[in-house]
Amino acid sequence: MKSKSNHTKSFMIYEELVEKIQNGTYQPNTKLPTEHEFMQQYEVARGTIREALQMLYQNGYIQKIQGKGSVVLDIRRKYNFPITELVSFKQIAKAMGGTSRTILQELSLIKPDAFIQTELNVSTAAEIWKVVRTREIDGEKIILDVDYFNKQYITFLTKEICEDSIYEYIENELQLSIGFAKKEILVEEPTEMDRTYLDLEGFPNVVVVKNHVYLEDITLFQYTESRHRPDKFRFVDFARRFANYSYPNM
Amino acid sequence: MKSKSNHTKSFMIYEELVEKIQNGTYQPNTKLPTEHEFMQQYEVARGTIREALQMLYQNGYIQKIQGKGSVVLDIRRKYNFPITELVSFKQIAKAMGGTSRTILQELSLIKPDAFIQTELNVSTAAEIWKVVRTREIDGEKIILDVDYFNKQYITFLTKEICEDSIYEYIENELQLSIGFAKKEILVEEPTEMDRTYLDLEGFPNVVVVKNHVYLEDITLFQYTESRHRPDKFRFVDFARRFANYSYPNM
DNA sequence: AATTATTTGTACGTATGTATG
DNA sequence: GCATACATACGTACAAATAAT
């Protein structure tokens, strides 16, 4: 999972601590070194350490307890699944282990119909890339991804890019920074497309994840529907009660 | 949505800005005042303003763009639904408007079976509150909530509390601070319980949200299954690509 | 039971870097 | 090149919660 360059001290410390939590250097339910110890270890100001710890906190790696210290959580380890982050299928497949394959069913430039005009907020004149891909895991076609990209921002696409990772291409080749996405999870009846491209095995509905994806400058460039066979669908989320807004500092 | 006291300057500023975004004082796709202007307006240090803005950013209210400013997003307004936060049904029902009702089907103290022992990480000796509630919206029973509370932490429950809001009771009466939760969304076949307590109308499966809820001191005190009729299920999530770890400051 | 030390939380101020216009 | 605005980092002080004396 790489993206734009982030060579700040706090981010590098964060990455190092994530690594040490994942490889067991810091064990679940034990305390991390104190902020003061980290200060000396990394020779940075306390605020810098607190930023790194805040990222760990925000992403569910640790719990910070005032007066006590930071405790390593094992939630990530227990559910080794991408938790509420924007990740591509390639990353998920890699994390899950099993054999996976992407089959490109369609790659075309289209004029947006009324639905796509609304979802991508474009006029009839716009040009849109339509990408249809089947995701096969352990020999079963269980996910159908239908993507629509605004050609104004994603100017060029090829079969090879779609079969690898479009996100990697967007961030590394096109040098665009993906900012955020709004996800919506629903259950729908299978469409004709679902029936042809998925191994539905008689399941009477599909779980649909609808995604609007924005760049960092707030331009909406992608609308995606990820259509899952219900028995294979799983979504894991980590939520804090108040995103306990204790922020680093100063 | 209230919880533990948070009277910090940055949090109060955050709340005030949320209010102003929601009531339209700050319009979507326009820029907020600069950090410098906020500094003068609130007579606080820049870091304090940046903390407040960071909370807005993290929760999808604004996008921060270096060199330009902070732009108000309309994602929250478009999907007026609790976005990836720990919220109780009472809050959701209130936000949705329509008529809603909670029916308490069962409230009992039980000894945990093998499944609950695993999910709540307790021994056979523990005592567990079991709460079964039906959620009715516009006259249809579409959600079945099955909660298990560790009596060690939630010592006392009544019919009235369960029919109102257990979360309010936990936070306001018991003065416990809820820390975080791990959610998992799956699709399952209806159980006998689902069939008796839900208006399933022939739907062959239910969407199940499994929830492990922890206090701020990391004690696991609740396991919940929220079982939804699939046609009425909807989950909205806001995700940042890298939770762009720019933190306030210093 | 009261005090002190430790550890995290909030807030202030300053300096410099980087992106935008 | 310059001004503006956000980003990162340093340092200091004190508050609040916890743990140890």
Side-chain angles (χ1 to χ4, degrees), chain B residues 141-170:
Chain B
K141 301 187 184 64
I142 57 171
I143 306 174
L144 178 67
D145 279 345
V146 185
D147 298 82
Y148 299 93
F149 296 94
N150 191 333
K151 187 169 181 293
Q152 193 180 343
Y153 310 110
I154 312 299
T155 49
F156 184 66
L157 274 181
T158 67
K159 185 171 179 296
E160 287 68 34
I161 295 167
C162 295
E163 284 173 339
D164 187 33
S165 170
I166 298 180
Y167 267 40
E168 275 184 21
Y169 168 69
I170 290 173

PDB file of all heavy atoms in Angstrom, chain B residues 141-170:
ATOM      1  N   LYS B 141     -41.251  -4.381  11.118  1.00  0.00           N
ATOM      2  CA  LYS B 141     -40.162  -4.852  11.962  1.00  0.00           C
ATOM      3  C   LYS B 141     -38.997  -5.253  11.062  1.00  0.00           C
ATOM      4  O   LYS B 141     -38.987  -6.324  10.469  1.00  0.00           O
ATOM      5  CB  LYS B 141     -40.616  -6.034  12.801  1.00  0.00           C
ATOM      6  CG  LYS B 141     -41.806  -5.719  13.709  1.00  0.00           C
ATOM      7  CD  LYS B 141     -42.093  -6.883  14.640  1.00  0.00           C
ATOM      8  CE  LYS B 141     -43.330  -6.604  15.470  1.00  0.00           C
ATOM      9  NZ  LYS B 141     -44.574  -6.498  14.636  1.00  0.00           N
ATOM     10  N   ILE B 142     -38.028  -4.373  10.960  1.00  0.00           N
ATOM     11  CA  ILE B 142     -36.970  -4.637   9.980  1.00  0.00           C
ATOM     12  C   ILE B 142     -35.588  -4.869  10.583  1.00  0.00           C
ATOM     13  O   ILE B 142     -34.682  -5.293   9.896  1.00  0.00           O
ATOM     14  CB  ILE B 142     -36.875  -3.475   8.964  1.00  0.00           C
ATOM     15  CG1 ILE B 142     -36.622  -2.160   9.686  1.00  0.00           C
ATOM     16  CG2 ILE B 142     -38.117  -3.410   8.112  1.00  0.00           C
ATOM     17  CD1 ILE B 142     -36.317  -1.034   8.730  1.00  0.00           C
ATOM     18  N   ILE B 143     -35.429  -4.577  11.873  1.00  0.00           N
ATOM     19  CA  ILE B 143     -34.139  -4.856  12.508  1.00  0.00           C
ATOM     20  C   ILE B 143     -34.369  -5.638  13.796  1.00  0.00           C
ATOM     21  O   ILE B 143     -35.266  -5.324  14.574  1.00  0.00           O
ATOM     22  CB  ILE B 143     -33.376  -3.553  12.854  1.00  0.00           C
ATOM     23  CG1 ILE B 143     -33.215  -2.659  11.623  1.00  0.00           C
ATOM     24  CG2 ILE B 143     -32.015  -3.878  13.456  1.00  0.00           C
ATOM     25  CD1 ILE B 143     -32.592  -1.309  11.925  1.00  0.00           C
ATOM     26  N   LEU B 144     -33.529  -6.657  13.989  1.00  0.00           N
ATOM     27  CA  LEU B 144     -33.544  -7.400  15.244  1.00  0.00           C
ATOM     28  C   LEU B 144     -32.177  -7.242  15.903  1.00  0.00           C
ATOM     29  O   LEU B 144     -31.165  -7.673  15.354  1.00  0.00           O
ATOM     30  CB  LEU B 144     -33.839  -8.884  14.989  1.00  0.00           C
ATOM     31  CG  LEU B 144     -33.843  -9.774  16.225  1.00  0.00           C
ATOM     32  CD1 LEU B 144     -35.008  -9.427  17.136  1.00  0.00           C
ATOM     33  CD2 LEU B 144     -33.912 -11.242  15.822  1.00  0.00           C
ATOM     34  N   ASP B 145     -32.163  -6.595  17.059  1.00  0.00           N
ATOM     35  CA  ASP B 145     -30.903  -6.408  17.780  1.00  0.00           C
ATOM     36  C   ASP B 145     -30.812  -7.408  18.923  1.00  0.00           C
ATOM     37  O   ASP B 145     -31.695  -7.468  19.778  1.00  0.00           O
ATOM     38  CB  ASP B 145     -30.818  -4.990  18.356  1.00  0.00           C
ATOM     39  CG  ASP B 145     -30.381  -3.962  17.330  1.00  0.00           C
ATOM     40  OD1 ASP B 145     -29.869  -4.381  16.273  1.00  0.00           O
ATOM     41  OD2 ASP B 145     -30.543  -2.761  17.577  1.00  0.00           O
ATOM     42  N   VAL B 146     -29.739  -8.184  18.909  1.00  0.00           N
ATOM     43  CA  VAL B 146     -29.495  -9.119  19.999  1.00  0.00           C
ATOM     44  C   VAL B 146     -28.201  -8.698  20.694  1.00  0.00           C
ATOM     45  O   VAL B 146     -27.120  -8.759  20.103  1.00  0.00           O
ATOM     46  CB  VAL B 146     -29.374 -10.562  19.478  1.00  0.00           C
ATOM     47  CG1 VAL B 146     -29.246 -11.536  20.631  1.00  0.00           C
ATOM     48  CG2 VAL B 146     -30.565 -10.915  18.591  1.00  0.00           C
ATOM     49  N   ASP B 147     -28.323  -8.238  21.925  1.00  0.00           N
ATOM     50  CA  ASP B 147     -27.164  -7.735  22.655  1.00  0.00           C
ATOM     51  C   ASP B 147     -26.786  -8.652  23.805  1.00  0.00           C
ATOM     52  O   ASP B 147     -27.660  -9.210  24.475  1.00  0.00           O
ATOM     53  CB  ASP B 147     -27.476  -6.349  23.262  1.00  0.00           C
ATOM     54  CG  ASP B 147     -27.779  -5.299  22.223  1.00  0.00           C
ATOM     55  OD1 ASP B 147     -28.938  -5.257  21.756  1.00  0.00           O
ATOM     56  OD2 ASP B 147     -26.872  -4.544  21.885  1.00  0.00           O
ATOM     57  N   TYR B 148     -25.501  -8.761  24.031  1.00  0.00           N
ATOM     58  CA  TYR B 148     -24.982  -9.461  25.199  1.00  0.00           C
ATOM     59  C   TYR B 148     -24.036  -8.529  25.940  1.00  0.00           C
ATOM     60  O   TYR B 148     -23.035  -8.081  25.365  1.00  0.00           O
ATOM     61  CB  TYR B 148     -24.237 -10.723  24.781  1.00  0.00           C
ATOM     62  CG  TYR B 148     -25.098 -11.721  24.045  1.00  0.00           C
ATOM     63  CD1 TYR B 148     -25.156 -11.715  22.651  1.00  0.00           C
ATOM     64  CD2 TYR B 148     -25.844 -12.674  24.725  1.00  0.00           C
ATOM     65  CE1 TYR B 148     -25.936 -12.620  21.960  1.00  0.00           C
ATOM     66  CE2 TYR B 148     -26.638 -13.583  24.047  1.00  0.00           C
ATOM     67  CZ  TYR B 148     -26.675 -13.546  22.665  1.00  0.00           C
ATOM     68  OH  TYR B 148     -27.459 -14.448  21.983  1.00  0.00           O
ATOM     69  N   PHE B 149     -24.376  -8.231  27.208  1.00  0.00           N
ATOM     70  CA  PHE B 149     -23.525  -7.344  28.009  1.00  0.00           C
ATOM     71  C   PHE B 149     -22.904  -8.125  29.159  1.00  0.00           C
ATOM     72  O   PHE B 149     -23.596  -8.880  29.842  1.00  0.00           O
ATOM     73  CB  PHE B 149     -24.346  -6.193  28.608  1.00  0.00           C
ATOM     74  CG  PHE B 149     -24.945  -5.274  27.597  1.00  0.00           C
ATOM     75  CD1 PHE B 149     -26.239  -5.469  27.141  1.00  0.00           C
ATOM     76  CD2 PHE B 149     -24.215  -4.203  27.091  1.00  0.00           C
ATOM     77  CE1 PHE B 149     -26.800  -4.621  26.201  1.00  0.00           C
ATOM     78  CE2 PHE B 149     -24.764  -3.352  26.159  1.00  0.00           C
ATOM     79  CZ  PHE B 149     -26.060  -3.559  25.710  1.00  0.00           C
ATOM     80  N   ASN B 150     -21.634  -7.909  29.370  1.00  0.00           N
ATOM     81  CA  ASN B 150     -20.964  -8.499  30.519  1.00  0.00           C
ATOM     82  C   ASN B 150     -21.443  -7.795  31.790  1.00  0.00           C
ATOM     83  O   ASN B 150     -21.237  -6.602  31.958  1.00  0.00           O
ATOM     84  CB  ASN B 150     -19.450  -8.334  30.359  1.00  0.00           C
ATOM     85  CG  ASN B 150     -18.681  -9.160  31.379  1.00  0.00           C
ATOM     86  OD1 ASN B 150     -19.182  -9.447  32.463  1.00  0.00           O
ATOM     87  ND2 ASN B 150     -17.473  -9.539  31.013  1.00  0.00           N
ATOM     88  N   LYS B 151     -22.078  -8.574  32.693  1.00  0.00           N
ATOM     89  CA  LYS B 151     -22.670  -7.988  33.893  1.00  0.00           C
ATOM     90  C   LYS B 151     -21.610  -7.384  34.822  1.00  0.00           C
ATOM     91  O   LYS B 151     -21.910  -6.526  35.652  1.00  0.00           O
ATOM     92  CB  LYS B 151     -23.485  -9.036  34.642  1.00  0.00           C
ATOM     93  CG  LYS B 151     -24.282  -8.455  35.827  1.00  0.00           C
ATOM     94  CD  LYS B 151     -25.282  -9.454  36.372  1.00  0.00           C
ATOM     95  CE  LYS B 151     -26.081  -8.857  37.528  1.00  0.00           C
ATOM     96  NZ  LYS B 151     -25.252  -8.603  38.724  1.00  0.00           N
ATOM     97  N   GLN B 152     -20.388  -7.841  34.666  1.00  0.00           N
ATOM     98  CA  GLN B 152     -19.300  -7.291  35.471  1.00  0.00           C
ATOM     99  C   GLN B 152     -19.184  -5.772  35.290  1.00  0.00           C
ATOM    100  O   GLN B 152     -18.823  -5.059  36.221  1.00  0.00           O
ATOM    101  CB  GLN B 152     -17.993  -7.982  35.063  1.00  0.00           C
ATOM    102  CG  GLN B 152     -16.835  -7.727  36.023  1.00  0.00           C
ATOM    103  CD  GLN B 152     -15.575  -8.427  35.560  1.00  0.00           C
ATOM    104  OE1 GLN B 152     -15.624  -9.346  34.727  1.00  0.00           O
ATOM    105  NE2 GLN B 152     -14.425  -8.002  36.086  1.00  0.00           N
ATOM    106  N   TYR B 153     -19.532  -5.292  34.096  1.00  0.00           N
ATOM    107  CA  TYR B 153     -19.405  -3.857  33.819  1.00  0.00           C
ATOM    108  C   TYR B 153     -20.771  -3.184  33.756  1.00  0.00           C
ATOM    109  O   TYR B 153     -20.945  -2.084  34.245  1.00  0.00           O
ATOM    110  CB  TYR B 153     -18.633  -3.637  32.518  1.00  0.00           C
ATOM    111  CG  TYR B 153     -17.339  -4.426  32.490  1.00  0.00           C
ATOM    112  CD1 TYR B 153     -17.168  -5.517  31.644  1.00  0.00           C
ATOM    113  CD2 TYR B 153     -16.295  -4.091  33.356  1.00  0.00           C
ATOM    114  CE1 TYR B 153     -15.996  -6.247  31.644  1.00  0.00           C
ATOM    115  CE2 TYR B 153     -15.117  -4.830  33.370  1.00  0.00           C
ATOM    116  CZ  TYR B 153     -14.978  -5.903  32.510  1.00  0.00           C
ATOM    117  OH  TYR B 153     -13.824  -6.626  32.525  1.00  0.00           O
ATOM    118  N   ILE B 154     -21.716  -3.862  33.126  1.00  0.00           N
ATOM    119  CA  ILE B 154     -23.081  -3.337  33.085  1.00  0.00           C
ATOM    120  C   ILE B 154     -23.856  -4.084  34.155  1.00  0.00           C
ATOM    121  O   ILE B 154     -24.467  -5.123  33.900  1.00  0.00           O
ATOM    122  CB  ILE B 154     -23.722  -3.559  31.691  1.00  0.00           C
ATOM    123  CG1 ILE B 154     -22.776  -3.114  30.582  1.00  0.00           C
ATOM    124  CG2 ILE B 154     -25.061  -2.820  31.604  1.00  0.00           C
ATOM    125  CD1 ILE B 154     -22.398  -1.651  30.617  1.00  0.00           C
ATOM    126  N   THR B 155     -23.837  -3.532  35.361  1.00  0.00           N
ATOM    127  CA  THR B 155     -24.327  -4.293  36.509  1.00  0.00           C
ATOM    128  C   THR B 155     -25.845  -4.398  36.555  1.00  0.00           C
ATOM    129  O   THR B 155     -26.387  -5.331  37.124  1.00  0.00           O
ATOM    130  CB  THR B 155     -23.842  -3.640  37.818  1.00  0.00           C
ATOM    131  OG1 THR B 155     -24.120  -2.231  37.752  1.00  0.00           O
ATOM    132  CG2 THR B 155     -22.341  -3.836  37.980  1.00  0.00           C
ATOM    133  N   PHE B 156     -26.509  -3.439  35.951  1.00  0.00           N
ATOM    134  CA  PHE B 156     -27.945  -3.334  36.162  1.00  0.00           C
ATOM    135  C   PHE B 156     -28.648  -2.856  34.893  1.00  0.00           C
ATOM    136  O   PHE B 156     -28.207  -1.911  34.250  1.00  0.00           O
ATOM    137  CB  PHE B 156     -28.185  -2.348  37.321  1.00  0.00           C
ATOM    138  CG  PHE B 156     -29.607  -2.213  37.719  1.00  0.00           C
ATOM    139  CD1 PHE B 156     -30.286  -3.285  38.294  1.00  0.00           C
ATOM    140  CD2 PHE B 156     -30.279  -1.004  37.542  1.00  0.00           C
ATOM    141  CE1 PHE B 156     -31.613  -3.154  38.680  1.00  0.00           C
ATOM    142  CE2 PHE B 156     -31.607  -0.880  37.929  1.00  0.00           C
ATOM    143  CZ  PHE B 156     -32.266  -1.954  38.501  1.00  0.00           C
ATOM    144  N   LEU B 157     -29.727  -3.539  34.561  1.00  0.00           N
ATOM    145  CA  LEU B 157     -30.514  -3.136  33.383  1.00  0.00           C
ATOM    146  C   LEU B 157     -32.002  -3.286  33.693  1.00  0.00           C
ATOM    147  O   LEU B 157     -32.401  -4.179  34.437  1.00  0.00           O
ATOM    148  CB  LEU B 157     -30.167  -4.002  32.168  1.00  0.00           C
ATOM    149  CG  LEU B 157     -28.975  -3.612  31.295  1.00  0.00           C
ATOM    150  CD1 LEU B 157     -28.836  -4.600  30.142  1.00  0.00           C
ATOM    151  CD2 LEU B 157     -29.105  -2.200  30.766  1.00  0.00           C
ATOM    152  N   THR B 158     -32.797  -2.414  33.094  1.00  0.00           N
ATOM    153  CA  THR B 158     -34.248  -2.543  33.265  1.00  0.00           C
ATOM    154  C   THR B 158     -34.939  -2.474  31.916  1.00  0.00           C
ATOM    155  O   THR B 158     -34.336  -2.087  30.916  1.00  0.00           O
ATOM    156  CB  THR B 158     -34.827  -1.396  34.122  1.00  0.00           C
ATOM    157  OG1 THR B 158     -34.703  -0.165  33.382  1.00  0.00           O
ATOM    158  CG2 THR B 158     -34.100  -1.271  35.447  1.00  0.00           C
ATOM    159  N   LYS B 159     -36.214  -2.854  31.919  1.00  0.00           N
ATOM    160  CA  LYS B 159     -37.047  -2.775  30.733  1.00  0.00           C
ATOM    161  C   LYS B 159     -37.034  -1.358  30.154  1.00  0.00           C
ATOM    162  O   LYS B 159     -36.893  -1.164  28.941  1.00  0.00           O
ATOM    163  CB  LYS B 159     -38.474  -3.164  31.150  1.00  0.00           C
ATOM    164  CG  LYS B 159     -39.508  -3.271  30.054  1.00  0.00           C
ATOM    165  CD  LYS B 159     -40.790  -3.875  30.613  1.00  0.00           C
ATOM    166  CE  LYS B 159     -41.898  -4.000  29.568  1.00  0.00           C
ATOM    167  NZ  LYS B 159     -42.356  -2.719  29.035  1.00  0.00           N
ATOM    168  N   GLU B 160     -37.147  -0.377  31.045  1.00  0.00           N
ATOM    169  CA  GLU B 160     -37.223   1.007  30.599  1.00  0.00           C
ATOM    170  C   GLU B 160     -35.944   1.437  29.874  1.00  0.00           C
ATOM    171  O   GLU B 160     -35.985   2.092  28.838  1.00  0.00           O
ATOM    172  CB  GLU B 160     -37.484   1.950  31.781  1.00  0.00           C
ATOM    173  CG  GLU B 160     -38.901   1.885  32.336  1.00  0.00           C
ATOM    174  CD  GLU B 160     -39.192   0.538  33.020  1.00  0.00           C
ATOM    175  OE1 GLU B 160     -38.251  -0.035  33.631  1.00  0.00           O
ATOM    176  OE2 GLU B 160     -40.330   0.064  32.924  1.00  0.00           O
ATOM    177  N   ILE B 161     -34.801   1.059  30.458  1.00  0.00           N
ATOM    178  CA  ILE B 161     -33.525   1.430  29.842  1.00  0.00           C
ATOM    179  C   ILE B 161     -33.416   0.824  28.445  1.00  0.00           C
ATOM    180  O   ILE B 161     -33.037   1.490  27.487  1.00  0.00           O
ATOM    181  CB  ILE B 161     -32.340   0.953  30.711  1.00  0.00           C
ATOM    182  CG1 ILE B 161     -32.346   1.696  32.048  1.00  0.00           C
ATOM    183  CG2 ILE B 161     -31.024   1.161  29.990  1.00  0.00           C
ATOM    184  CD1 ILE B 161     -31.439   1.089  33.083  1.00  0.00           C
ATOM    185  N   CYS B 162     -33.790  -0.454  28.336  1.00  0.00           N
ATOM    186  CA  CYS B 162     -33.667  -1.142  27.045  1.00  0.00           C
ATOM    187  C   CYS B 162     -34.602  -0.548  25.993  1.00  0.00           C
ATOM    188  O   CYS B 162     -34.285  -0.561  24.802  1.00  0.00           O
ATOM    189  CB  CYS B 162     -33.967  -2.635  27.208  1.00  0.00           C
ATOM    190  SG  CYS B 162     -32.760  -3.486  28.239  1.00  0.00           S
ATOM    191  N   GLU B 163     -35.722  -0.047  26.434  1.00  0.00           N
ATOM    192  CA  GLU B 163     -36.660   0.525  25.470  1.00  0.00           C
ATOM    193  C   GLU B 163     -36.265   1.939  25.069  1.00  0.00           C
ATOM    194  O   GLU B 163     -36.700   2.452  24.052  1.00  0.00           O
ATOM    195  CB  GLU B 163     -38.074   0.502  26.044  1.00  0.00           C
ATOM    196  CG  GLU B 163     -38.675  -0.893  25.993  1.00  0.00           C
ATOM    197  CD  GLU B 163     -40.003  -0.973  26.717  1.00  0.00           C
ATOM    198  OE1 GLU B 163     -40.273  -0.113  27.562  1.00  0.00           O
ATOM    199  OE2 GLU B 163     -40.762  -1.932  26.431  1.00  0.00           O
ATOM    200  N   ASP B 164     -35.444   2.570  25.900  1.00  0.00           N
ATOM    201  CA  ASP B 164     -34.965   3.905  25.552  1.00  0.00           C
ATOM    202  C   ASP B 164     -33.628   3.761  24.829  1.00  0.00           C
ATOM    203  O   ASP B 164     -33.607   3.439  23.645  1.00  0.00           O
ATOM    204  CB  ASP B 164     -34.845   4.761  26.816  1.00  0.00           C
ATOM    205  CG  ASP B 164     -34.512   6.201  26.484  1.00  0.00           C
ATOM    206  OD1 ASP B 164     -34.965   6.682  25.441  1.00  0.00           O
ATOM    207  OD2 ASP B 164     -33.771   6.830  27.264  1.00  0.00           O
ATOM    208  N   SER B 165     -32.540   3.970  25.515  1.00  0.00           N
ATOM    209  CA  SER B 165     -31.233   3.825  24.883  1.00  0.00           C
ATOM    210  C   SER B 165     -30.226   3.328  25.902  1.00  0.00           C
ATOM    211  O   SER B 165     -29.931   4.002  26.893  1.00  0.00           O
ATOM    212  CB  SER B 165     -30.758   5.161  24.315  1.00  0.00           C
ATOM    213  OG  SER B 165     -29.403   5.056  23.914  1.00  0.00           O
ATOM    214  N   ILE B 166     -29.725   2.126  25.651  1.00  0.00           N
ATOM    215  CA  ILE B 166     -28.757   1.546  26.583  1.00  0.00           C
ATOM    216  C   ILE B 166     -27.466   2.353  26.587  1.00  0.00           C
ATOM    217  O   ILE B 166     -26.821   2.525  27.620  1.00  0.00           O
ATOM    218  CB  ILE B 166     -28.485   0.071  26.218  1.00  0.00           C
ATOM    219  CG1 ILE B 166     -29.784  -0.730  26.355  1.00  0.00           C
ATOM    220  CG2 ILE B 166     -27.408  -0.525  27.117  1.00  0.00           C
ATOM    221  CD1 ILE B 166     -29.644  -2.201  26.026  1.00  0.00           C
ATOM    222  N   TYR B 167     -27.104   2.900  25.420  1.00  0.00           N
ATOM    223  CA  TYR B 167     -25.870   3.681  25.333  1.00  0.00           C
ATOM    224  C   TYR B 167     -25.933   4.940  26.184  1.00  0.00           C
ATOM    225  O   TYR B 167     -24.984   5.280  26.873  1.00  0.00           O
ATOM    226  CB  TYR B 167     -25.572   4.035  23.870  1.00  0.00           C
ATOM    227  CG  TYR B 167     -24.675   3.016  23.218  1.00  0.00           C
ATOM    228  CD1 TYR B 167     -24.838   1.666  23.472  1.00  0.00           C
ATOM    229  CD2 TYR B 167     -23.651   3.397  22.364  1.00  0.00           C
ATOM    230  CE1 TYR B 167     -24.026   0.725  22.896  1.00  0.00           C
ATOM    231  CE2 TYR B 167     -22.825   2.465  21.780  1.00  0.00           C
ATOM    232  CZ  TYR B 167     -23.008   1.132  22.041  1.00  0.00           C
ATOM    233  OH  TYR B 167     -22.184   0.210  21.471  1.00  0.00           O
ATOM    234  N   GLU B 168     -27.070   5.614  26.112  1.00  0.00           N
ATOM    235  CA  GLU B 168     -27.228   6.807  26.956  1.00  0.00           C
ATOM    236  C   GLU B 168     -27.080   6.440  28.420  1.00  0.00           C
ATOM    237  O   GLU B 168     -26.418   7.140  29.188  1.00  0.00           O
ATOM    238  CB  GLU B 168     -28.599   7.441  26.712  1.00  0.00           C
ATOM    239  CG  GLU B 168     -28.624   8.389  25.527  1.00  0.00           C
ATOM    240  CD  GLU B 168     -29.970   9.071  25.356  1.00  0.00           C
ATOM    241  OE1 GLU B 168     -30.751   9.134  26.329  1.00  0.00           O
ATOM    242  OE2 GLU B 168     -30.236   9.534  24.239  1.00  0.00           O
ATOM    243  N   TYR B 169     -27.693   5.319  28.792  1.00  0.00           N
ATOM    244  CA  TYR B 169     -27.619   4.846  30.175  1.00  0.00           C
ATOM    245  C   TYR B 169     -26.173   4.556  30.573  1.00  0.00           C
ATOM    246  O   TYR B 169     -25.695   4.992  31.621  1.00  0.00           O
ATOM    247  CB  TYR B 169     -28.480   3.593  30.319  1.00  0.00           C
ATOM    248  CG  TYR B 169     -28.288   2.831  31.602  1.00  0.00           C
ATOM    249  CD1 TYR B 169     -28.710   3.343  32.819  1.00  0.00           C
ATOM    250  CD2 TYR B 169     -27.678   1.580  31.586  1.00  0.00           C
ATOM    251  CE1 TYR B 169     -28.538   2.628  33.994  1.00  0.00           C
ATOM    252  CE2 TYR B 169     -27.500   0.861  32.755  1.00  0.00           C
ATOM    253  CZ  TYR B 169     -27.926   1.389  33.959  1.00  0.00           C
ATOM    254  OH  TYR B 169     -27.741   0.686  35.111  1.00  0.00           O
ATOM    255  N   ILE B 170     -25.467   3.854  29.715  1.00  0.00           N
ATOM    256  CA  ILE B 170     -24.081   3.478  30.014  1.00  0.00           C
ATOM    257  C   ILE B 170     -23.203   4.714  30.186  1.00  0.00           C
ATOM    258  O   ILE B 170     -22.401   4.804  31.126  1.00  0.00           O
ATOM    259  CB  ILE B 170     -23.515   2.585  28.887  1.00  0.00           C
ATOM    260  CG1 ILE B 170     -24.186   1.206  28.915  1.00  0.00           C
ATOM    261  CG2 ILE B 170     -22.002   2.445  29.004  1.00  0.00           C
ATOM    262  CD1 ILE B 170     -23.825   0.321  27.738  1.00  0.00           C
TER     263      ILE B 170
END
